[in-house]
Structures are given as structure tokens and as C-alpha cells.
């Protein structure tokens, strides 16, 4: 036993000498042998709030104001320790599972790792790089959405960025359901870094929350000098990585023995040879992408199965955004010749993907694509969209959400994708000319998201074109469109009578006195989701018209109206048995007592009423 332990210790030291410096190895060995703890010098801890918001995936606010936007996370707290719904906080676009239940929601991708929970993110820059000792997030309303905190080796203010950008996870956990909506200071225990950082990324999952989560500030604590303790830290040794050499076997799949005459006799693949090819394919299909790539290296038989293009009909690379590069795409390129659904959301930023690498992959693998997710892909440029339009003639779904650095001219190439059925352009800089060109040629559109597209000058013209060209439209998101009037809404309702989802949240130019909402209800009997958020003119007549004409209604948001009473809401709840969500926050005639009464009468409906402390 002593001999085995000695051999194991010897191998560990060899691995250590290869992975670190000789000085570190000797120091670690002496520390272990002496059993003494090193005396650490006193280091001053730095506390700093975020200096700048660099990037984010979505927010509730608009692009030209500060209310409910991610930009509120820069600087000192505005609200904390108060609790409640405040406009000075940062709020993401969605919460709960309501959006996933809608017809416009994309299908989930196979092979998404169970440990990947992130739905949204925000990246924050701080003044000084430090070795983090704590990250504190001040949550002021419905906490519990944070699932991961990461740190980056890149200094965003440096004039000479490094070629190798590393992201490290400081803390990660599954989504949690916090019972109280009250404010809290969230400060999880974080891991120690080997590099200083002033770029922090917070990822969230709001699926378990009862309402929008609100964040007020982020604090980064740390030391300017590297803690001495990390220099004495023994490396974590993988028990599967103790080989005497880093070289791979030339033929790991050759199961054979040597006969007396020196010839090799093939022993086959054991029980695998008795299994049908399709059964092994089914077993392998349950592996995540990293496991699939690892299994490829074990033997020739499994290499053949793991590289079969049928295993790559769907490919989601979003969970691996921090590690994906041109080289990664190059390795996958030969296996993805039958690729139909591809998710590259969040990938490629800060030079990780280039036009050359992306174009090469799309030209080789884009011929059969029907779905392409590119949310928050800031490497995209006009030539990238041109390549997509040329190599993906059968593309039906395209998501460019929050690709806010794409030049307006780039969107003209989308009009060549005439088979499009779902198009997400949320928070992009698409202009009216390009949008009208898309609607002229993409007449098969079923789902269109133009939320927060502030560069479109006249939404009435867009609505009129939709009514003429896209009569099969099922969902339309016009969240925070600036200039839609009752004329455009009337044409839309008359031409797109199959609409099931319509988001008119924060469309302040629509006035109930024109009768536009009543006309809408009478012309859209299939309506299942209607958001009239922050339209203060919505009145009882509009609600009663919905109750009379939209029995399939499931989601209704009338936050902020002053003219809706409890009597019309009761009629709506009685007439719409499928109703699941009703948001009456800041409705002055609907107080907490009325909400409690309605919740008792209609327990299957989630009636939302936010508060301000």
C-alpha cells in the first residue's frame, strides 16, 4: 500500500511540474511536507460599483430613456434597501414561463446541458482590475433569478487587449424560488481567480419568478495584489489524466492481441458488434456535445457513431459561448452536413468568431438549415448576413435579437430568405426601407418581433404592408414602437385576422377614445395574448369588448391604466375561461383588496399587482 501511495504521489508531482512552474511545484511540495500554513501579508480590499454597462441580452426599458433599463446598474444604488417596483432599476424583458407557452416561442434544442440555465445576461465593467473576494448584487424586487456570475481576463478599458480572452465561473447554481419579493443583498461564495478582473457577467433565469426581477447595483470587492494563498494552492488533479505521456494512442480503437508469430489478431468490439447501428445511435444521441466529442476519442467504432451527421441535425452552441472559436466551428464542420437547426446565440464576441470562420461553416453546413438563432452575436456584419442569404435558401426561422451593432444596410439581405416564417429583430437598427423590402418578399411570415426597433420611422406603413402581404401572421411584437396610430392598427386587424399574439406595450400614440382597441377585439377572435402595457387610456369598454369577442384569451397586460374597474375585469374573467395571466399593476381603480377577491374567485388565473414601498 505504501508503495502505491508513493507512486501516486510521484505521478502527481510530475503532472504538477508540467502544468505549473518549477518554483510553484517546489513551494507546494514544501508546504505539504511541512504542514505549515504560510503567513499572508495584509492586503487592502477594494470596493467598487460598476462603472459602465457593456452588453446585455434584453431589458424592459426603451433605448432612449433610463426607466427600467440595464444602464441603471452603472454606479451607486438608486433604490436599495427599499423594496418594490421602481423605474430606476434594471429589469429584463420577461419572467416566468408565460413567454415559453406562446405560439411564437421557439422549440427547445436537443442536447442542451442540464446545468445550463441562463436566459439573459448583463456584462459590467469596473474601474480597477482586482482579484475578486466577493460580488454583491442588490436585488430590490422578486430576487432569485441569478444563476451564474463570471469574470473575464480582458480589461475592457485597455488599449492593448490580449489575444487570449478567458472567462471563469465565479459562482453557479440552479434557479431558486424565493418566497418573498422583498429586497436583498445577494453575495454568494465565489471561487478564487488566478487573474485580476474588472469585467463581470451576471446571468439570470427568471422562469421561477412570479414577477419581474429588479436589480439596483453590483458591487465588486477584491484585492489589487494576488493573494499569496493561491500560490500555495495544490492543483486539482484529474484521476483520469495521470498518464505518463500526453501523447494519444495511435489507434485507441484497435482491440487486439499479439500472436506467437508476431501477427495481431483483431478481437472486435465486444458486445457493441451485436447491437444494431440504430440502437447505438439512439444511445449516443442522449449525450451532451462535450461528452459526444470525448467519446469520439475512445475507439474507431464510437468515433464513427459520434461523427455521424445524423447526430448533428440540431446543434446548440449557446451553452459553450465562452469557449467557441473559429477552430471549434472548423472541428464541427465535417459532422454538420445535415444540420437543420443551429443556435449560435451569445457566441463569437470579442473576436472569438470571425467572418472567415463563420462563412466557412455556413457554406459547408447551411444548405439544409431551417432555424438559425443568432441572438446577441456582435461579430455579425453585413457580409455575414449576405452569406446567410446565399447559403440558407430554405431558412424558416431567424433570430437576430439584440444584435444592435449591425449596420442598418445589413438587413436588406434578409429579404432574399423568402421561406421565412419566424423573424426576431428585437433591439436591432433595422430601418423602414429594409423592413418593407422584407415584407414584400417574405410573405410566409407567421411570427414577427419588432420590439424596440427605434429606427423605423412610420409603423403605420409597416402595419399596412403586413395587412396586405402577411395575412397568415400569427404573432406580432411591437413593444415600444413609437408612432403606431389607430389607422395602422385598424388596417392590421382587418388584414391579419389570424393573429393570436399582439404586443402593443408602451405604444403611447394609441388612444382608446378612437375605438381602436374595441375594433381590434371585434376583428381578432383568435387572440390569445394581448399586451396593452402602460396605455393609460384603456377603459372598461375595451375590456368588455375583449370579453365578448376573444374567448380564447390567455394573457392580458393592462398595467398602468386608470380607467378600468373591477366590474369589467370580473366580466372578462367569467367570459375567458382559458385566461392564465392578468397584469393590473398600477391600475388605480384596482387595489390590493379587489385583486385578493378576484384571486379567490378565479384561482387558476395569475393576477399580478406590483407594489412600491
Amino acid at each position: 500500500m505504501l508503495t502505491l501511495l508513493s507512486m501516486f504521489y510521484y505521478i502527481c508531482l510530475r503532472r504538477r511540474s508540467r502544468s505549473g512552474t518549477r518554483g510553484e511545484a517546489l513551494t507546494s511540495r514544501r508546504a505539504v511536507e511541512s504542514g505549515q500554513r504560510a503567513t499572508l501579508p495584509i492586503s487592502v480590499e477594494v470596493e467598487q460599483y460598476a462603472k459602465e454597462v457593456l452588453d446585455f441580452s434584453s431589458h424592459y426599458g426603451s433605448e432612449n430613456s433610463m426607466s427600467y433599463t440595464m444602464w441603471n446598474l452603472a454606479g451607486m444604488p438608486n433604490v436599495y434597501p427599499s423594496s418594490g417596483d421602481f423605474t430606476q432599476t434594471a429589469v429584463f424583458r420577461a419572467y416566468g414561463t408565460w413567454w415559453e407557452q406562446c405560439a411564437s416561442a421557439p422549440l427547445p434544442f436537443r442536447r442542451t446541458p442540464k446545468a445550463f440555465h441562463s436566459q439573459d445576461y448583463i456584462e459590467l465593467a469596473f474601474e480597477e482590475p482586482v482579484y475578486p473576494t466577493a460580488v454583491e448584487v442588490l436585488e430590490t424586487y422578486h430576487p432569485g433569478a441569478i444563476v451564474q456570475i463570471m469574470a473575464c481576463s480582458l480589461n475592457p478599458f485597455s488599449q492593448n487587449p490580449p489575444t487570449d480572452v478567458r472567462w471563469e465561473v465565479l459562482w453557479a447554481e440552479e434557479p431558486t424560488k424565493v418566497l418573498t419579493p422583498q429586497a436583498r443583498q445577494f453575495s454568494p461564495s465565489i471561487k478564487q481567480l488566478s487573474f485580476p478582473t474588472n469585467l463581470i457577467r451576471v446571468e439570470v433565469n427568471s422562469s421561477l419568478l412570479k414577477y419581474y426581477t429588479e436589480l439596483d447595483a453590483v458591487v465588486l470587492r477584491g484585492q489589487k495584489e494576488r493573494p499569496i494563498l493561491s500560490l500555495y494552492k495544490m492543483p486539482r488533479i484529474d484521476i483520469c489524466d495521470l498518464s505518463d505521456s500526453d501523447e494519444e494512442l495511435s489507434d485507441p480503437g484497435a482491440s487486439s492481441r499479439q500472436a506467437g508469430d508476431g501477427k495481431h489478431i483483431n478481437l472486435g468490439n465486444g458486445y457493441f458488434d451485436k447491437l444494431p447501428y440504430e440502437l447505438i445511435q439512439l444511445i449516443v444521441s442522449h449525450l451532451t456535445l462535450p461528452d459526444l466529442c470525448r467519446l469520439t476519442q475512445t475507439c474507431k467504432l464510437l468515433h464513427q457513431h459520434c461523427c455521424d451527421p445524423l447526430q448533428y441535425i440540431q446543434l446548440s452552441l449557446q451553452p459553450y459561448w465562452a469557449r467557441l472559436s473559429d477552430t471549434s466551428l472548423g472541428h464541427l464542420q465535417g459532422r454538420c452536413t445535415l444540420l437543420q437547426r443551429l443556435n449560435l446565440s451569445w457566441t463569437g464576441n470579442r473576436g472569438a468568431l470571425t467572418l472567415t470562420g463563420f462563412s466557412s461553416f455556413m457554406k459547408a453546413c447551411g444548405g439544409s438549415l431551417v432555424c438559425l438563432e443568432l441572438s446577441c452575436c456582435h461579430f455579425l456584419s453585413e457580409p455575414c448576413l449576405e452569406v446567410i442569404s446565399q447559403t440558407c435558401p430554405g431558412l424558416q426561422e431567424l433570430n437576430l435579437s439584440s444584435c444592435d451593432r449591425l449596420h442598418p444596410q445589413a438587413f436588406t439581405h434578409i429579404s432574399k430568405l423568402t421561406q421565412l416564417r419566424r423573424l426576431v429583430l428585437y433591439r436591432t437598427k433595422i430601418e423602414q426601407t429594409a423592413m418593407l423590402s422584407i415584407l414584400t418578399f417574405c410573405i410566409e411570415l407567421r411570427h414577427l418581433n419588432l420590439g424596440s426597433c427605434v429606427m423605423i420611422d412610420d409603423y403605420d406603413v409597416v402595419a399596412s404592408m403586413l395587412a396586405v402581404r402577411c395575412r397568415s401572421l400569427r404573432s406580432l411584437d411591437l413593444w415600444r414602437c413609437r408612432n403606431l396610430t389607430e389607422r395602422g392598427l385598424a388596417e392590421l386587424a382587418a388584414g391579419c385576422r389570424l393573429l393570436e399574439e399582439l404586443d402593443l406595450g408602451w405604444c403611447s400614440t394609441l388612444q382608446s377614445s378612437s375605438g381602436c382597441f374595441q375594433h381590434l377585439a371585434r376583428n381578432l377572435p383568435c387572440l390569445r395574448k394581448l399586451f396593452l402595457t402602460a396605455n393609460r387610456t384603456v377603459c372598461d369598454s375595451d375590456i368588455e369588448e375583449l370579453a365578448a369577442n376573444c374567448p380564447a384569451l390567455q394573457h392580458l397586460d393592462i398595467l398602468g391604466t386608470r380607467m378600468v374597474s373591477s366590474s369589467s375585469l370580473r366580466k372578462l374573467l367569467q367570459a375567458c375561461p382559458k385566461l392564465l395571466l392578468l397584469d393590473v399593476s398600477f391600475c388605480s381603480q384596482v387595489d390590493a383588496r379587489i385583486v385578493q377577491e378576484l384571486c379567490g374567485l378565479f384561482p387558476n388565473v395569475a393576477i399580478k399587482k406590483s407594489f412600491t414601498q
Side-chain angles (χ1 to χ4, degrees), residues 178-226:
V178 179
L179 298 179
T180 173
Q182 302 297 323
R184 74 171 184 178
Q185 178 178 298
F186 181 63
S187 182
S189 177
I190 63 174
K191 66 174 285 188
Q192 196 174 58
L193 286 184
S194 60
F195 58 83
T197 184
N198 62 337
L199 174 51
I200 296 294
R201 177 177 171 121
V202 178
E203 297 184 355
V204 304
N205 180 316
S206 304
S207 62
L208 298 182
L209 301 186
K210 293 184 177 180
Y211 206 59
Y212 296 97
T213 188
E214 299 190 7
L215 311 179
D216 192 20
V218 177
V219 183
L220 173 62
R221 300 181 188 274
Q223 300 173 357
K224 292 185 179 180
E225 301 296 330
R226 184 176 183 180

Side-chain angles (χ1 to χ4, degrees), residues 192-438:
Q192 196 174 58
L193 286 184
S194 60
F195 58 83
T197 184
N198 62 337
L199 174 51
I200 296 294
R201 177 177 171 121
V202 178
E203 297 184 355
V204 304
N205 180 316
S206 304
S207 62
L208 298 182
L209 301 186
K210 293 184 177 180
Y211 206 59
Y212 296 97
T213 188
E214 299 190 7
L215 311 179
D216 192 20
V218 177
V219 183
L220 173 62
R221 300 181 188 274
Q223 300 173 357
K224 292 185 179 180
E225 301 296 330
R226 184 176 183 180
I228 301 300
L229 183 61
S230 64
L231 299 178
Y232 292 91
K233 188 176 180 181
M234 286 290 288
R236 186 178 67 179
I237 301 172
D238 188 348
I239 211 71
C240 300
D241 192 26
L242 295 179
S243 60
D244 196 49
S245 171
D246 291 331
E247 298 178 2
E248 295 184 0
L249 296 176
S250 59
D251 188 2
S255 177
S256 63
R257 62 179 175 85
Q258 191 171 12
D261 55 1
K263 296 182 179 180
H264 286 270
I265 302 175
N266 189 3
L267 299 180
N269 298 294
Y271 288 110
F272 280 107
D273 287 333
K274 298 182 179 181
L275 295 178
Y277 188 91
E278 294 79 5
L279 181 56
I280 300 179
Q281 283 284 291
L282 178 61
I283 295 172
V284 169
S285 70
H286 291 279
L287 296 176
T288 62
L289 185 61
D291 290 338
L292 195 67
C293 293
R294 293 185 188 105
L295 191 61
T296 305
Q297 304 172 30
T298 58
C299 69
K300 286 185 176 180
L301 176 68
L302 293 178
H303 181 277
Q304 178 185 0
H305 282 281
C306 294
C307 293
D308 193 315
L310 290 174
Q311 292 291 335
Y312 300 87
I313 291 178
Q314 293 189 36
L315 182 62
S316 178
L317 297 174
Q318 182 182 7
Y320 319 106
W321 63 267
R323 292 176 281 166
L324 193 71
S325 63
D326 284 349
T327 305
S328 309
L329 285 184
H331 287 317
L332 291 169
Q333 188 167 301
R335 312 177 188 184
C336 298
T337 53
L338 300 179
L339 187 63
Q340 296 180 10
R341 302 185 71 228
L342 174 63
N343 184 2
L344 286 174
S345 294
W346 302 4
T347 65
N349 298 334
R350 298 184 174 89
L353 288 182
T354 65
L355 171 62
T356 302
F358 178 76
S359 299
S360 175
F361 185 83
M362 294 304 298
K363 289 175 182 177
C365 310
S368 302
L369 270 183
V370 294
C371 174
L372 182 57
E373 301 282 335
L374 295 170
S375 173
C376 305
C377 289
H378 301 310
F379 71 88
L380 289 176
S381 59
E382 181 176 353
C384 290
L385 290 196
E386 184 177 9
V387 168
I388 293 172
S389 67
Q390 293 172 349
T391 59
C392 308
L395 197 64
Q396 298 180 12
E397 300 182 44
L398 178 62
N399 182 0
L400 297 174
S401 173
S402 290
C403 293
D404 54 343
R405 301 172 197 180
L406 265 174
H407 191 274
Q409 184 66 26
F411 297 96
T412 57
H413 296 286
I414 298 177
S415 62
K416 303 170 188 175
L417 302 170
T418 57
Q419 304 300 313
L420 274 181
R421 291 173 174 262
R422 174 175 164 264
L423 178 61
V424 181
L425 297 173
Y426 167 73
R427 287 191 66 237
T428 62
K429 294 179 180 177
I430 187 170
E431 294 179 343
Q432 186 164 311
T433 302
M435 191 67 245
L436 294 178
S437 176
I438 292 171

Side-chain angles (χ1 to χ4, degrees), residues 141-163:
Y141 198 41
H142 287 280
I146 300 172
V147 294
Q148 185 160 265
I149 300 175
M150 305 182 72
C152 186
S153 61
L154 171 71
N155 183 343
F157 304 122
S158 173
Q159 299 298 322
N160 300 308
T163 54

